[in-house]
């Protein structure tokens, strides 16, 4: 199996091999398992080689390698999708390398990854030539060609949209529907802006009401067609886990709101207590209690009482 390991290593050197290096994150792509029930990737194949799961069965190894590319084409079914292009090129490379390893007749050499065509050098007009339209000018022709290229690009996008909608109509007919179900539907290609797949493209279907659909199988279930593909058990497990996480998140949110309401009630109670008793309780513990106020001073005795003999005090009191 050393040669099989070498094949995987050579394929990972392609610039577009990042599509197939690791398993597809099903949490980010919830409908992937509905369309691809048996995922496969380079890292899984390398692990199976290391653990000896293939033994010396080159056919089983080749089946898994082909599954990597066929899964990619099956999910990214648009021929213009970068992953579809990379999968078809990778499959051609694998077949050529595998033929050499097994001693079969080798096909054409590995296909280089798709690259942008080099831009032709634009010649600037000479100093004597005019910069605007006229007999000696090239500016008008350049603008006209740019408009023609823009018009051609728009026409190509419209043509691809019609082609994808026509393919969707045929698919719905095989599921028991009619082609009129997709009247007014359109497609749109969007670029992922976050996560590990940032920068990749996805093509979505949109109903006339603006509802977005990721796959044709999802649309068939939307129309409740009898032959619509059912969700796989793995997909149902993923949805169940997502629903469980959502329920936990909602419970935590409710708990946080209840705690916030309780804290606010405590703050309001403390504020009302401070308004009613301005002196804090902790200060009253350290202060000595004030002495009680003295009563009124008693009135002075009459002056004639002074100097009376005790023997006559009874007569005076009478």
């Amino acid at each position: 199996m050393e040669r099989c390991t070498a094949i995987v290593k050579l394929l990972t050197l392609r610039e577009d091999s990042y599509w197939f290096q690791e398993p597809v994150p099903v949490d980010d792509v919830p409908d992937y398992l509905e369309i691809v029930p048996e995922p496969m990737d380079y890292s899984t194949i390398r692990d199976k080689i290391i653990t000896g799961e293939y033994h010396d069965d080159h056919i089983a190894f080749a089946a898994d390698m082909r599954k990597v590319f066929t899964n990619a084409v099956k999910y990214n079914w648009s021929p213009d999708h970068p992953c579809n292009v990379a999968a078809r090129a990778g499959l051609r490379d694998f077949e050529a390398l595998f033929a050499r390893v097994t001693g079969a007749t080798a096909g054409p050499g590995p296909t280089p990854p798709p690259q942008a065509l080099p831009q032709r050098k634009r010649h600037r007009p000479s100093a004597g030539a005019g910069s605007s339209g006229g007999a000696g000018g090239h500016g008008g022709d350049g603008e006209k060609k740019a408009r023609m290229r823009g018009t051609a690009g728009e026409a190509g996008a419209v043509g691809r949209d019609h082609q994808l909608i026509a393919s969707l109509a045929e698919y719905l007919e095989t599921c028991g529907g009619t082609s009129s179900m997709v009247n007014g539907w359109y497609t749109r290609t969007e670029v992922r802006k976050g996560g590990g797949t940032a920068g990749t493209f996805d093509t979505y279907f949109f109903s006339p009401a603006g509802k977005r659909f990721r796959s044709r199988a999802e649309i068939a279930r939307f129309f409740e067609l009898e032959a619509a593909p059912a969700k796989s058990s793995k997909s149902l497990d993923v949805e169940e886990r997502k629903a469980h996480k959502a329920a936990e998140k909602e419970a935590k949110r409710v708990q946080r709101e209840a705690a916030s309401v309780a804290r606010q009630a405590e703050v309001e109670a403390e504020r009302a207590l401070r308004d009613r008793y301005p002196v804090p309780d902790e200060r009253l513990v350290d202060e000595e209690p004030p002495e009680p106020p003295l009563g009124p001073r008693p009135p002075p005795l009459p002056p004639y009482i002074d100097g009376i003999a005790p023997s006559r005090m009874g007569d005076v009191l009478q």
Side-chain angles (χ1 to χ4, degrees):
M1 299 300 290
E2 294 181 358
R3 294 184 179 182
C4 296
T5 304
I7 291 177
V8 178
K9 187 173 183 179
L10 287 173
L11 291 176
T12 57
L13 296 178
R14 290 180 55 89
E15 295 181 358
D16 54 1
S17 65
Y18 61 89
W19 292 100
F20 321 112
Q21 294 280 4
E22 300 294 336
V24 175
V26 293
D27 291 338
D28 298 336
V29 190
D31 68 333
Y32 185 76
L33 295 177
E34 301 176 15
I35 302 172
V36 181
E38 298 180 2
M40 187 57 61
D41 59 277
Y42 290 164
S43 63
T44 302
I45 293 175
R46 281 196 297 265
D47 293 341
K48 294 175 74 171
I49 293 176
I50 294 173
T51 58
E53 186 172 344
Y54 291 122
H55 302 289
D56 290 329
D57 191 352
H58 293 77
I59 302 302
F61 163 76
D64 282 347
M65 288 296 299
R66 294 187 180 104
K67 190 180 298 182
V68 172
F69 306 116
T70 55
N71 286 347
V73 173
K74 185 177 182 180
Y75 185 80
N76 305 286
W77 44 268
S78 175
D80 299 328
H81 197 285
C83 184
N84 188 300
V85 176
R88 286 185 279 113
L91 180 60
R92 287 194 295 268
D93 280 5
F94 167 73
E95 295 297 349
L97 294 170
F98 186 70
R100 295 178 183 179
V101 168
T102 57
T105 303
T111 305
Q115 299 178 354
L117 296 177
Q119 296 183 355
R120 292 181 296 179
K121 185 176 181 181
R122 299 178 61 182
H123 298 282
R124 301 182 63 180
S126 60
S131 59
S132 61
H138 300 282
D141 294 341
E143 294 177 359
K144 183 177 180 181
K145 291 180 180 179
R147 288 195 298 269
M148 292 176 63
R149 285 195 297 269
T151 304
E154 294 176 359
V158 173
R160 286 193 298 271
D161 182 81
H162 289 321
Q163 181 180 2
L164 294 176
I165 295 300
S167 175
L168 174 62
E170 294 178 359
Y171 176 79
L172 294 180
E173 288 179 352
T174 60
C175 293
T178 61
S179 60
S180 61
M181 289 180 171
V182 294
N183 290 342
W185 287 58
Y186 60 95
T187 63
R188 182 185 301 164
T189 300
E190 299 178 358
V191 182
R192 297 184 182 180
K193 299 181 180 180
T197 57
T200 59
F201 300 86
D202 289 314
T203 300
Y204 298 97
F205 291 100
F206 288 85
S207 67
K211 182 176 176 58
R212 189 178 72 170
F213 296 89
R214 187 184 295 269
S215 64
R216 297 181 294 180
E218 185 180 0
I219 297 174
R221 287 193 295 270
F222 171 75
F223 284 115
E224 299 181 355
L225 300 179
E226 295 182 358
K231 293 184 178 181
S232 64
S233 58
K234 293 183 179 179
S235 179
L236 293 175
D237 292 341
V238 171
E239 291 185 357
E240 185 177 356
R241 288 196 300 268
K242 291 180 67 176
H244 182 67
K245 290 182 180 179
E248 289 182 348
K249 186 177 180 180
E250 179 65 17
K252 291 180 180 179
R253 185 188 65 81
V254 173
Q255 187 177 3
R256 287 195 301 268
E257 290 183 354
S260 177
V261 172
R263 286 194 301 269
Q264 185 65 24
E266 292 178 359
V267 170
E268 294 294 338
E270 292 178 359
R271 183 180 295 112
L273 185 62
R274 285 195 301 268
D275 293 342
R276 185 173 181 180
Y277 304 102
V279 180
D281 295 341
E282 56 269 15
R283 288 180 55 188
L284 296 177
V285 176
D286 300 332
E287 294 179 354
E288 295 182 358
E291 295 182 359
L294 298 176
R297 185 182 295 274
L301 294 174
Y304 60 84
I305 294 180
D306 296 338
I308 299 177
S311 60
R312 298 184 55 190
M313 186 63 66
D315 298 338
V316 175
L317 294 178
Q318 293 177 359

